[in-house]
Amino acid sequence: HYIHQVHKILEEKEKDPFASYNDSLRLKARRYITKHLLKLNHEVFGWYPYWEDSYYKELNYSLISTIAYFSYEVDPKTGNAKDIHDWKTTPVVDSAKANNCKVLLTVTNFEEKNNKTLLRNSKAVDNLIENLFSLIQEQEAHGVCIDFEGVRGSDKDYFTEFITKLHEQFKKKKYEIYVAVPAVDWYKSLDFEKLNG
C-alpha cells in the first residue's frame, strides 16, 4: 500500500511527503560501515525506487547482494514502457556493479485489468520481452524482477507463458529472472512447478 501511495503522489509530480531533507534540517547523513569485511552467506535482495535519486551514495553495498531498480512501468496495450524513469542514467547501476552487486530492472504492471490486457496480447508480450532484453543488455545488468500485481487465476496460463517466453530469450545471455509473488497465492494464479522449470 505504501509503495502505491508514494508512486501515485510522485506520478502527480507532487513533493515526496516521506523524504527527509537533511540540508534544511542541518543533518548529515552517515552510512553504516562495518569494521570487518563481510561475506554474505545468503542473497540479500532490495528494491531501489527511482525517486530515491541520490540514496545510492548512502548504501552499504557490503550488506546487499542484489538491487532491483524500480521500475519499468508497462503500458499493457503495447508492452512498451510508460516510463523507465532514469534507468539508462541512474548511478545506482554502476555503483552496484562496482561493489559486486547484481542489478535487476523491476518490471511493474498493476491491477487485474492491466495484467489481462497485456498477458492475452502476444504482440504486446513479445514487444515487452524485446524491450527488456535491450535495456538489460545496454546497461550490462543481470536481469529483471517481474512485479505483476493482480494477476487472476483465469490468467494463470498466460502469465506462465509470458515467463517461459522471457526465459527463452534471456537464457541466450544467461540473464536472470526474478518474480515477486504474494505471500499467499489467493487467486491461484501461479503455476510454481512450471515457473521453476
Side-chain angles (χ1 to χ4, degrees):
H1 182 71
Y2 166 79
I3 285 286
H4 294 286
Q5 210 176 14
V6 173
H7 201 221
K8 185 172 187 282
I9 290 168
L10 294 172
E11 277 184 339
E12 294 167 0
K13 308 294 185 214
E14 292 181 29
K15 194 173 183 181
D16 183 353
F18 305 102
S20 59
Y21 301 97
N22 294 340
D23 294 340
S24 63
L25 297 173
R26 296 183 184 167
L27 297 174
K28 183 171 180 175
R30 294 183 188 153
R31 73 180 164 134
Y32 172 76
I33 300 173
T34 57
K35 292 180 181 177
H36 307 287
L37 186 63
L38 295 175
K39 182 176 179 182
L40 298 174
N41 294 323
H42 299 282
E43 181 171 27
V44 179
F45 177 99
W47 279 279
Y48 189 95
Y50 69 86
W51 56 86
E52 296 288 359
D53 54 352
S54 62
Y55 188 63
Y56 72 95
K57 297 175 186 175
E58 309 303 326
L59 293 177
N60 184 350
Y61 292 96
S62 69
L63 300 177
I64 307 168
S65 56
T66 307
I67 294 176
Y69 180 84
F70 189 96
S71 74
Y72 178 114
E73 297 175 35
V74 178
D75 177 344
K77 293 177 183 173
T78 65
N80 289 328
K82 289 183 190 173
D83 204 333
I84 60 169
H85 303 285
D86 61 344
W87 167 252
K88 292 185 177 185
T89 59
T90 178
V92 74
V93 173
D94 288 336
S95 296
K97 289 192 296 186
N99 285 280
N100 299 313
C101 292
K102 286 192 286 190
V103 181
L104 310 173
L105 174 59
T106 302
V107 186
T108 55
N109 196 39
F110 300 145
E111 298 180 17
E112 177 185 349
K113 180 183 173 187
N114 291 333
N115 284 307
K116 183 175 184 177
T117 299
L118 173 71
L119 295 171
R120 293 179 181 226
N121 181 340
S122 60
K123 187 175 179 183
V125 165
D126 290 344
N127 194 35
L128 172 60
I129 292 170
E130 186 178 319
N131 291 341
L132 295 176
F133 188 84
S134 295
L135 288 169
I136 298 308
Q137 191 169 35
E138 186 178 335
Q139 281 289 68
E140 298 180 359
H142 299 88
V144 293
C145 175
I146 303 300
D147 185 9
F148 285 13
E149 298 178 23
V151 177
R152 292 290 173 159
S154 55
D155 290 315
K156 177 180 185 175
D157 292 339
Y158 293 100
F159 183 71
T160 302
E161 184 181 343
F162 161 61
I163 297 297
T164 302
K165 286 172 100 172
L166 182 63
H167 172 71
E168 286 300 309
Q169 178 72 352
F170 272 35
K171 73 180 183 181
K172 297 173 187 175
K173 292 275 191 174
K174 297 186 179 177
Y175 293 147
E176 297 183 33
I177 301 169
Y178 288 59
V179 180
V181 298
V184 179
D185 185 17
W186 295 113
Y187 300 124
K188 306 294 181 197
S189 58
L190 300 167
D191 187 334
F192 288 106
E193 188 175 337
K194 289 183 181 175
L195 291 173
N196 285 327

